């Protein structure tokens, strides 16, 4: 069974940085995509950044500020978030899509104060 565990969230002032981690346990085969989503209060979950078909894609709102990366040896994916804004406040989820199913982590809260 695959589990995704996020960490690294917290409270930061606007302009600050955080690095989120997503550690995967178990084996996932035939991965189609893996990435980060976020959900702010009262809003739908939205894509932040994703590895898909050999490339990376970012939401327009985070381009130039966020960077997705991964360490395959550690089965860990990261999201480096710089120049954070209050509108980045949300619960951040990591996500892995295989040919069989989709996996989600439990989420980690990021709060950016103005």
């Amino acid at each position: 069974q695959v589990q995704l565990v996020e960490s690294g969230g917290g409270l930061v002032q606007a302009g600050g940085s955080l690095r989120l981690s997503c550690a995967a346990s178990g084996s996932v085969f035939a991965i189609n995509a893996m990435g980060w989503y976020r959900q702010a209060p009262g809003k739908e979950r939205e894509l932040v950044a994703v590895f898909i078909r050999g490339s990376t894609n970012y939401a327009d709102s985070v381009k130039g500020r966020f960077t997705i990366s991964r360490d395959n040896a550690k089965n860990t994916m990261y999201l480096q978030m710089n120049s954070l804004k209050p509108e980045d406040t949300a619960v951040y989820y990591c996500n892995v899509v295989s040919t069989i199913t989709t996996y989600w982590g439990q989420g980690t809260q990021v709060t950016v104060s103005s």
Side-chain angles (χ1 to χ4, degrees):
Q1 186 173 351
V2 175
Q3 285 190 322
L4 304 176
V5 179
E6 300 99 336
S7 61
L11 174 64
V12 65
Q13 288 188 329
S17 298
L18 285 173
R19 189 177 81 154
L20 305 183
S21 299
C22 173
S25 62
S27 297
V28 182
F29 299 97
I31 295 176
N32 292 329
M34 53 192 305
W36 291 92
Y37 286 72
R38 68 186 181 187
Q39 187 166 18
K43 295 187 177 181
E44 293 186 353
R45 193 170 296 189
E46 64 175 358
L47 175 69
V48 176
V50 65
F51 290 108
I52 186 168
R53 290 189 288 273
S55 65
T56 55
N57 293 328
Y58 294 90
D60 288 343
S61 60
V62 307
K63 282 181 180 176
R65 300 188 298 122
F66 290 11
T67 303
I68 189 172
S69 63
R70 61 188 176 186
D71 185 333
N72 292 333
K74 295 182 178 180
N75 284 342
T76 302
M77 181 171 60
Y78 303 97
L79 184 68
Q80 177 66 43
M81 305 186 296
N82 298 327
S83 302
L84 282 161
K85 303 176 181 180
E87 51 263 44
D88 295 318
T89 295
V91 178
Y92 284 71
Y93 300 89
C94 64
N95 165 272
V96 173
V97 179
S98 75
T99 56
I100 298 174
T101 190
T102 297
Y103 303 93
W104 290 96
Q106 84 287 351
T108 185
Q109 176 71 47
V110 172
T111 303
V112 184
S113 63
S114 57

